[in-house]
Structure formats: structure tokens, C-alpha cells
């Protein structure tokens, strides 16, 4: 199956890189960041250029990282994944034992897809989507008053919210006229109330998204929303749609206007290009735009098959991350898009990356002796420059940065102020930040000195479009998957969220007992009860 | 002046705490997290309860932290700040040399404010605001067609955007009917285009916020917005308002409908309760609601004067942060509000904290031998639970968490599902997470084991209102200021953003030269030019 049997620190290249990390490349040396270096350290693929001259590495390190990728069988594992290997599993321990086939959703442009069964299911669902969107266009699907639907509320949480929402916000410039999309995710009742308050429900569709059909937050919000429709004299059956797993409790076409399927071989955080994102994005942007997202993602999935890391952006990005994290010891990574439209992309990556690779157990069930997934955070520049960049430049903790930029703006509505356009100002800042972090600057006033040698990469494409958005999604998905392979962990389960659920249910039992006047065995769960009392959530017993 | 002359590691308590940190309290021991401990470890003040039993400390550590605060003169410094000491400065080096008086903005409820001059200026501006809002109400201030203004666009960046925006989003439930607020911050031209696109400009006011009156991003967006008004046949002079420093280039009443002032003794990231937040919040929420924000902040500023750290929530929160960061070695902190309305509060804190304390130089100009400001990140729960909590529970890096919650919801629109309300589900999750992180759980399947001993605090108030929002703002401001005092750094300047600005201007010069056909001395700035070419932003010279 091409799976690694080795931990990162057992790969021969690990020792070599450990030695090289004692003297990482000095970006502050005169001539260190030479024009030649900048021109040489570019990796292109899938519509993106990755500029990495401002990382603390040289050709020897790049050679070591190539060996690391080869020794970990990173590309072979990726190909095995695309072909349907059961890689969501542990050796010798109970686990989900599933295929990982989010790539199959967009492997729909060839007659010979890697995983024909999964791509066939994707094609079926796309046809289903196309019919739904055509029915909206033709007026076959209308509301009780014969009017077209103008608004769509996506109810989902985690992977059924973050990725789809990030992509919708990124592509609003390409939105269909008279179509708006809204999102409810949090079980906080104020979230649903604030969204529903401003809507004409009679012209609103609601897409409820849950693979298991049993996500408590989502079902709760669905009921809140259904109650609002009933209160407005509307029939929820004419407004609510389901995106769920076949056979789930939500797979009940009687309750929904239309139903779309997702499959257990696609994890929530990798599901934006499945029906999870498709129905909402199709409504807001149209079918063709969604297919362009798939095309961009598929092209990046192909670029990720390249064995030479200098020509494989996601694999190189994965290895740069491992260099900074495991060899140079930096615990976090900042994602800094110079595009306001990508405002929620870092939040999507927080899930995709940290839920995938925030693990402490190898595929064999051992505890790794090295760091796995980093802490991912970030906000769009230039906003971040006026917020947390102070720490990135002069703080006591080094934060590797991944800048994302586009040569042209989306709206092309721009203005010359002081001789330059806003887009030029945005790009000037983007480039300036990576140089400033790398080179630093000495000053007699210690408070005005910059140490430099703070690593970053620049990820660039021509324009943020459905195509490049698809590419960007797939680029980071592949980066995360590659890192998981090299760390020898399972990037596809999320057992770490279970304990919180179990304990939350205990508290819910308390609330139910209080409401229904049951006796509560306080002695048995004294800690819980004291916490409820101490937090002032229930009255103290005297 | 009560300023410390010592670095953190020179304070006598530092060694004691270093020793105690070798064996931090074990939360996973049977009986470790006892009901008694939960009930004892509560600190109340300013409308908030801070529950900290789930931190890795015992009474010996609390005693050591109290000594640390005393030895650093933390409360004395705080009082000196409120009274107008010039604490934004360095000894022996050029610096801003300013007072730090954001607390004076809300010290307007007493006849004897700490800093009468600054509180007097705050009162003047509040009167100015009250007149403006009354004129809107009475119909004295109307648009060209005699209609009332319904929309307000806030143009600002950094402190003129993040804090005000976070507070507005937090309090939308208290918004005036028929009033909406929008925000433009990023120099990305798509940001302004997306906001302006959906507005009826004839009924829109624009507030331009810049203390210096020369923030390039803000001036650029102002020009973009003015051009849109002119294009719509409207007179910007009847729609644009200024919030700026007296005497700044923007202090030009001829260009603005109304002008409001901010003063150099209030830093941008501490300015939400000044006119920077006031004008926009007053428009959106009304004058009384804004005064409630001030009242909540002022009450918290008073609570911060308490010398016993067990009764001073901001000081205790500061010390818990120092315990986790400097003694237990955790580099980041996650801010996790269990309230969707606080969706942008972590972004505000990223600025307020990281721009204040992301420093590598003590007040005497030396390099500290300890970590200063942590990396701050976070998203609302329960959303985060379905995103990055996997890493917080099972990752290789421990992330201290600060949970924020409210006993009641804002809208009080709730529903019983499976026997509990949404608000109960939210609270159940909040409490469950802190317990799960602390106690962990062993399992034969290593992938289902939770190590526990992951520290967190719970910050609780009754309901998210203007009053508690003001308290929460002030709580974190004071926390950050206390940490800066104890780290012996200047939390009030931001020299770290300067180098990026300088280098950005070099790139802008290239763009200007290209547009105007000047000769560019490429040899002189070969690195910049190569970066522009390599990034594909200008054509490669052949």
C-alpha cells in the first residue's frame, strides 16, 4: 500500500537535516538574499508560484528535504490515497478503516479517474446538483407565492461550515445577481437568531449539512430554523434541503425538498469540493463557477504528484513547514492572505490542518518523539500589519509565515492615490513584509532594531477566481496530507473531540434532570455539580 | 513614578516560581480537581467571575504569583498610568514619551477622576457625540433628500477597526432599528468595493478614523469611497465625518460634516472606548448603550486596582498567563468565547496583546532573557470544537485556553431539543471542555487517550450586554498592561511595524517609476527588482 513503516526520526535524512539545522541559512548576511537566490527559489504548479528564498535553507537542506520526502514515500502514499487505499486507520487498534477520497470529487475531467467508483458517485451528485440549479433558473423550483428563491442559509458546523464559508466569501465577487448566502453554525442560539432575523423566509432555501445526520449543533439549528419557518406560516418541506450520508437519520426525502449525498470516504474538513460545498456554492455562484473550483483543485491534485519537490508546490510547502517546525523548532505558522476576500480562509485551515495533524500517536500507536501539527493562525494583510505583525517582527517567539497574494484584484475597481493603485499598495506591502522579516535591520536604538532571519514563503497566483480558489484549497489539503504522511500519523480521524462530547452530555443530563425535577446523583458527579454551582449556572445548594 | 527597575527574572519570586514549575499541580490525579478546589479558585470583579481551578497551580504558586505582582509594583504602575504618568517611553533611548490614558475615557462617572484633564476632554467629546446623535434623531441631520441616515461605514484599520468592529458585532442584538454599520479596513480594493456595492449611499454616513490623519490604507479607502459618492451624484461633505487627532491633516472641518477628536495619550489598540469606537457605536446602538460600555469598562478599571490577586480578575489573568508562558513554557494562548457574537473579539485581542507585548527590549533597552508576549489566537466555541480542538486535546503542543461564556443568551430566542435549550448546550460544552482538557482520560487504544493537564480558565458573566462588553474590553486591556509591567517592557509603542512600511515605500517607488516612465536605478535595489520580477508582478527584463 506504500505506507511508511518509519517515524520521521527514523528516516535517514532526519539526522542529516538535524545537523544542517544547527546552522540554518543566514538571510541577514550581506548578499545572503541575493537576486539569484530569489530567482532560483521558485516552485510553480497548479496555477500558483511558491517563492521560498526567504526561508532559512540552502541547496543542502533542499536536498535533505527531497530525501525525506522520498524516504517517507510521500508521493507514493498520495497516489495510493487517490486510488482508494484504506489509509484512515491504525495498525493493531480499532479505527475508522476508511478510504480517503476527497480528490475523487474533482477527478471528473478524465475518462480514466484514479478511483472510478468514487468519481462516479461524484458525477451522479453533480448531475443532481445541475438539475436542482436548472430548476431554480427555469422557474420549476419556486416558493409558495411563485417567486424565485433569493437567499440560502447553510446550516452546518466544522467542515460543513468553515471551508464552504471561506470559499463563498472568497468568491462573492463572482456571485449571481439576486442570490445571497448566509451561514448558521454555532449552537449559540444568538447565531441563528441574528441570521434569521434579517431574512425574507418565504424566498429562502435552507441547506442542512451533516454527514452523520446526527450532529447535535446542526440538528438543533435546523429545528430552530424550521420553527421560524412555521411561525412565518411557511412549509419547511418546501424550503429545507439535506446534504448528508446515504442512510443517515437525515436521509429522509419526505422532510426535504431535495437531498444530496456525501460519502464516508470524505472527511468533513476535506469536503468543500463535495456536495457539502457544492449545493451552497452552486446556488450562490452558479454551476459553471463550481465546476471551475473543481478544475482548479484537480489541476493542483495533479501537480502534487510530481516527485521533484522543486516542482511540487504542496509537497514543498509541507517540507518547508517540517523544516521550520521539527528542525528549527517553531511551534506555530501564520497564514497571511493579502486579499480581504480570503478573510475566513485561515479559519478553514485551522480546522483542516489542526484537526488533521494535531495528533500524538503514530500509525502504529506509538508516541512520536517529535512535534506533529503546528498551531495555525492568521488574518488578512494589510489588516494584520496593523494588528499582530509587531510580534512577528520583534517578538521573542519566531513565527514562520505563509503569505498568499494575487497579482490582480477581483473587482478591478481601483484608484490612483499618491501615484499608485490600491492593488499595487497591497502587493508592495506583501513583498516588503517578507523582505523585512528575512533581512531585518540594525539600529542604535535597540527598540528600532529588527533581528531578521524570520522565515516566510510567498504563494502567488494571477487573480482569486473560482479556478485558483479550487487550487488553493487543494494545495493546502495536499500539504496537510503530505505532512501527516511524513509524521507517520493518521490525518483523517478526530478522536480528540470525543471526550468533550461525553462530558458535555453529562452536563446536559444535569440540565434535563433539573428541568424535569428528577433526582440527581450529585455525589456521583460531584465535580460537575460543583462546577455548575461555582460558575453560577445553577443555584448553589445550601 | 512607581516604575519597575527590574526584569522579571530579577524579581525574588522568579526563582521560587521556577522551582515550583518543576512539579506543576497534577489535574489528572484522582481527587486533584476536587469540588473544594473548584469552589475556592474563583476570582470575581467588574461583573465577571474567573474560574481557574483548571490551571496547573496550587496555593504555593498563587502565593508566588502574588509576590511577583507585588515585587513588580503592578498595581502601583497601573494607578500611576491612570493618573497620567509618562509610561510610554524608554530609558536612555528616543521614544514616544507619552502618557497612557485610555482609562480616562471611561473615568467620567465621578467628580474626582484620576486624570481630570483627559477625562475633561473625554466629556467634551461625549457632549459632541450626544449632539450629533440627537441631531440624527430630531431630523436636523438628514440627507440631500431630507431622509434620515440608515447606514454607517467605518473606514479605519488596526485599532480604528478591530476593537470597534468586535464590539459592534458583539452588540448587534442591541442595535437601533433601521441602523446598520459596515466596515472597510483593508487597502485591498476589493474590500471597499464589496462593502460599497450593496449600499444606498444617499442614506449612508462615512466615518473616517485615523489618529495621525495620514494612515495610507485609510486615506486610500476614503478616496475610493468619496469617488463612489461623487459618482452617485452626492456631496461627500454631507456624508463624511472625521475622527482624528487635533491638528492632524484630517482635522479640516471644511471637508467633513462633523469632526471628533482623539488624543495622543490613547494608543490605537486601546481606543475603542474613545471617539474611535464611540461615533460608530453611538450611531448603531445609541448614546445610552455606549455610556453603558463606558460604565462596564470603568468598573473593571476599578476592579483592577485590587492588590489581592485573588480578587482582581485582570491581574490574576495576567499572572496565570505568565505562569503558563514563562514558567511552564507554553508559547501561545487560545481565546475561546462561547458566544457567536464575540466572533471578532479574538482578532481584537490579537492586536491589543501582540502589538503591545510582542517586544524584545526591556524599558532599559536590554534584551530580556525570558519570553514576552504570547501568540494569541482563537475562534468561538462550539465552532472551534469542530475545528482545531483536536490539537488542543491531543496535539504534541500544549495550548493554554481562556474560555469566555455567558449564563444567558442575548436574544433569548431558544428552543428545547432533546430536553435542553441551545444555551444549555452551549454552557454544557463550555464546562465540559475545561474539564476534559484538565482531567484527560486513559484508554487502551492510544488514539483514544487524552493526556489531560492542559490548562484553561473560565471567564463568566451573566449576559453579553453593553455593560459586560465594556468590562470584557477593559479586563483584557488591563491584563495586557499588567503583563507588560511584569515583563518590564513598553506595551504602548509599535516600532516593529516601521521596517515593513519603509520597504513597502521602496516598492511603491518602483510602481510610480514604471507608471511615469522614469528610469529606475535597478542596480541600486536589485533585490527588490528581482523580487518584483520573480513574483511575476512586473515583466522580466531581458
Amino acid at each position: 500500500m506504500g505506507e511508511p513503516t518509519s517515524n520521521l526520526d527514523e528516516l535517514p535524512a532526519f539526522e542529516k537535516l538535524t545537523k544542517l539545522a544547527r546552522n540554518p541559512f543566514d538571510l541577514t548576511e550581506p548578499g545572503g538574499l541575493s537576486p539569484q537566490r530569489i530567482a532560483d527559489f521558485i516552485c510553480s504548479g497548479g496555477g500558483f508560484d511558491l517563492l521560498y528564498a526567504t526561508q532559512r535553507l540552502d541547496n543542502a537542506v533542499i536536498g535533505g528535504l527531497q530525501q525525506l520526502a522520498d524516504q517517507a514515500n510521500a508521493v507514493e502514499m498520495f497516489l495510493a490515497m487517490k486510488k482508494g487505499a484504506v489509509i484512515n486507520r491504525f495498525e493493531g487498534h480499532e479505527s475508522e478503516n476508511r478510504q480517503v477520497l476527497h480528490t475523487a470529487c474533482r477527478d471528473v475531467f478524465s475518462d480514466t479517474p484514479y478511483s472510478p467508483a468514487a468519481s462516479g458517485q461524484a458525477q451522479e451528485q453533480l448531475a443532481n446538483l445541475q438539475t436542482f440549479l436548472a430548476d431554480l433558473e427555469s422557474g420549476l423550483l419556486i416558493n409558495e407565492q411563485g417567486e424565485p428563491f433569493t437567499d440560502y442559509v447553510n446550516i452546518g458546523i466544522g467542515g460543513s461550515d468553515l471551508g464552504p464559508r471561506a470559499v463563498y466569501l472568497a468568491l462573492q465577487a463572482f456571485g449571481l445577481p439576486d442570490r445571497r448566502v448566509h451561514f448558521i453554525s454555532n449552537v449559540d442560539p444568538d447565531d441563528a437568531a441574528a441570521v434569521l432575523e434579517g431574512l425574507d423566509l418565504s424566498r429562502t432555501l435552507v441547506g442542512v449539512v451533516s454527514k452523520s445526520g446526527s450532529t447535535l449543533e446542526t440538528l438543533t439549528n435546523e429545528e430552530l430554523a424550521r420553527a421560524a419557518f412555521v411561525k412565518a406560516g411557511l412549509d419547511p418541506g418546501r424550503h429545507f434541503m439535506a446534504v448528508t450520508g446515504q442512510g443517515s437519520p437525515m436521509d429522509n426525502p419526505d422532510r426535504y425538498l431535495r437531498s444530496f449525498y456525501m460519502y464516508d470516504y470524505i472527511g468533513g474538513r476535506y469536503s468543500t469540493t463535495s456536495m457539502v460545498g457544492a449545493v451552497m456554492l452552486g446556488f450562490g455562484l452558479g454551476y459553471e463557477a463550481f465546476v471551475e473550483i473543481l478544475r482548479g483543485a484537480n489541476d493542483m491534485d495533479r501537480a502534487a504528484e510530481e516527485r521533484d519537490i522543486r516542482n511540487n508546490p504542496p509537497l514543498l510547502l509541507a517540507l518547508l513547514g517540517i523544516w521550520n517546525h521539527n528542525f528549527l523548532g517553531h511551534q506555530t505558522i501564520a497564514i497571511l492572505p493579502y486579499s480581504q476576500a480570503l478573510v475566513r480562509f485561515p479559519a478553514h485551515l485551522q480546522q483542516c490542518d489542526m484537526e488533521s495533524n494535531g495528533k500524538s500517536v503514530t500509525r502504529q500507536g506509538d508516541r512520536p518523539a517529535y512535534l506533529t501539527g503546528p498551531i495555525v493562525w492568521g488574518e488578512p494583510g494589510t489588516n494584520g500589519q496593523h494588528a499582530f505583525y509587531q510580534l512577528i517582527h520583534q517578538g521573542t517567539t519566531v513565527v514562520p509565515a505563509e503569505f498568499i497574494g494575487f497579482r490582480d484584484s477581483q473587482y478591478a475597481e481601483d484608484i490612483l492615490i499618491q501615484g499608485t493603485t490600491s492593488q499595487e499598495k497591497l502587493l508592495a506591502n506583501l513583498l516588503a513584509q517578507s523582505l523585512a522579516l528575512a533581512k531585518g535591520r540594525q539600529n542604535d536604538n535597540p527598540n528600532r532594531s529588527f533581528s531578521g532571519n524570520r522565515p516566510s514563503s510567498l504563494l502567488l497566483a494571477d487573480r482569486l477566481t473560482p479556478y485558483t480558489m479550487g487550487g488553493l484549497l487543494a494545495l493546502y489539503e495536499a500539504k496537510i496530507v503530505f505532512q501527516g504522511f511524513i509524521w507517520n500519523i493518521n490525518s483523517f480521524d478526530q478522536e480528540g473531540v470525543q471526550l468533550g462530547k461525553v462530558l458535555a452530555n453529562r452536563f446536559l443530563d444535569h440540565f434535563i434532570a433539573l428541568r424535569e425535577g428528577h433526582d440527581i446523583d450529585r455525589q456521583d458527579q460531584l465535580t460537575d455539580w460543583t462546577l455548575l454551582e461555582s460558575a453560577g449556572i445553577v443555584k448553589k445548594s445550601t
Side-chain angles (χ1 to χ4, degrees), chain A residues 388-418:
Chain A
F388 50 77
Y389 277 39
Q390 165 67 42
L391 183 146
I392 295 186
H393 283 285
Q394 289 190 321
T396 48
T397 305
V398 171
V399 179
E402 286 176 13
F403 294 103
I404 302 170
F406 301 91
R407 297 176 185 101
D408 297 313
S409 69
Q410 289 184 311
Y411 286 88
E413 286 174 20
D414 212 330
I415 193 168
L416 266 185
I417 311 259
Q418 299 179 13

Side-chain angles (χ1 to χ4, degrees), chain A residues 156-177:
Chain A
I157 194 165
S160 301
D161 170 58
L162 292 166
R165 191 195 300 236
V167 172
Y168 177 71
L169 293 177
L171 299 176
Q172 270 183 298
F174 301 87
L176 294 178

Side-chain angles (χ1 to χ4, degrees), chain A residues 451-464:
Chain A
S451 67
N453 271 328
R454 295 176 181 236
S456 68
S457 297
L458 278 173
L459 206 47
L460 280 158
D462 283 340
R463 184 162 171 254
L464 182 56

Side-chain angles (χ1 to χ4, degrees), chain A residues 253-399:
Chain A
D254 294 348
R255 289 194 85 208
Y256 298 99
L257 183 65
R258 301 276 168 114
S259 291
F260 299 88
Y261 291 123
M262 52 209 288
Y263 300 94
D264 74 356
Y265 50 71
I266 300 182
R269 55 193 176 271
Y270 297 96
S271 68
T272 304
T273 53
S274 76
M275 286 299 115
V276 169
V279 185
M280 175 276 290
L281 292 168
F283 178 90
L285 312 176
Y287 185 75
E288 287 312 316
F290 183 70
V291 170
E292 277 304 294
I293 294 172
L294 296 184
R295 195 184 307 275
N298 188 57
D299 286 353
M300 187 61 78
D301 290 339
R302 294 278 172 171
E305 297 173 10
E306 169 64 45
R307 277 175 176 74
D308 182 347
I309 65 170
R310 287 175 182 265
N311 294 317
N312 182 332
L315 179 55
L316 180 57
L317 205 59
L319 291 161
L320 294 173
I322 285 173
W323 175 244
N324 284 320
H325 193 52
N326 295 99
F327 295 97
L328 301 185
H330 307 311
Q331 292 183 7
T332 78
I333 179 151
I335 307 290
L336 306 171
Y338 275 63
S339 160
Q340 189 61 22
L342 288 177
V343 59
R344 294 304 286 165
F345 190 63
H348 160 64
L349 287 189
Q350 277 186 327
Q351 177 187 23
C352 197
D353 197 328
M354 295 166 75
E355 198 169 58
S356 293
N357 290 338
K359 308 281 169 70
S360 292
V361 176
T362 68
R363 290 170 167 275
Q364 290 77 36
D366 305 318
R367 179 162 288 272
Y370 44 86
L371 294 178
T372 62
I375 291 153
V376 178
W377 60 284
E379 289 284 335
T382 56
N383 287 12
Q385 289 175 210
H386 291 260
F388 50 77
Y389 277 39
Q390 165 67 42
L391 183 146
I392 295 186
H393 283 285
Q394 289 190 321
T396 48
T397 305
V398 171
V399 179

Side-chain angles (χ1 to χ4, degrees), chain A residues 98-110:
Chain A
R98 290 180 184 162
Q99 297 171 297
V100 176
L101 282 172
H102 52 276
T103 49
C105 287
R106 50 249 192 173
D107 191 3
V108 292
F109 300 97
S110 137

